[in-house]
Amino acid sequence: MYSLTILYDARCDLCCRIREWMLSQTHYVALEFIAADSDEAKARFPQLDHERSLRELHVVTSYGEVYRDAKAWLMCLWALREYRAWSLRLATPELMPLARRAIARVSSNRRQLARVSSYLRD
């Protein structure tokens, strides 16, 4: 069975919220989340730069393919029933540069975004 293992920063509030949101969605493939700096991540994926996986999202498929950063985010969307079409559109040559810029902006400001979203939620 095809699955995705998503290495995420478990100390990042925004990352944890996105994880919970993804798990609440209907998905086409099995999703497994592992803290990027955990012993489990290091044991299962020794070939990865685990410091880098804390800075940018990494997704590993059940076949061992590794996606990083914007492509990893698109793989996450691809796994979700409601967002697969969006992932395919954003992956086109015309829209991929836009997706990369948007994801880079969110990634570089994720701690500030987590603070803002916590204020909105409370």
Side-chain angles (χ1 to χ4, degrees), residues 8-112:
Y8 73 105
D9 183 352
R11 292 175 291 183
C12 169
D13 288 340
L14 184 62
C15 300
C16 292
R17 286 190 200 140
I18 291 170
R19 174 187 175 270
E20 292 303 317
W21 174 79
M22 285 186 66
L23 288 171
S24 74
Q25 301 296 305
T26 305
H27 35 85
Y28 287 117
V29 299
L31 301 176
E32 177 184 19
F33 288 84
I34 300 175
D37 61 347
S38 68
D39 291 338
E40 181 181 1
K42 292 171 185 169
R44 286 183 55 187
F45 308 109
Q47 76 280 14
L48 296 181
D49 177 346
H50 293 280
E51 284 296 316
R52 183 177 177 186
S53 66
L54 283 172
R55 292 188 309 273
E56 59 186 40
L57 184 69
H58 281 58
V59 173
V60 182
T61 72
S62 51
Y63 297 117
E65 301 156 318
V66 178
Y67 294 88
R68 293 175 182 85
D69 209 19
K71 289 181 180 180
W73 283 105
L74 292 180
M75 284 300 292
C76 288
L77 291 177
W78 175 86
L80 304 176
R81 180 174 292 174
E82 295 295 321
Y83 298 92
R84 182 170 278 186
W86 274 102
S87 74
L88 296 173
R89 276 188 224 120
L90 289 170
T92 64
E94 298 81 19
L95 292 180
M96 189 62 175
L98 174 66
R100 278 195 179 106
R101 285 193 303 272
I103 290 164
R105 172 85 34 105
V106 169
S107 293
S108 65
N109 294 301
R110 64 189 163 119
R111 286 178 174 67
Q112 295 89 333

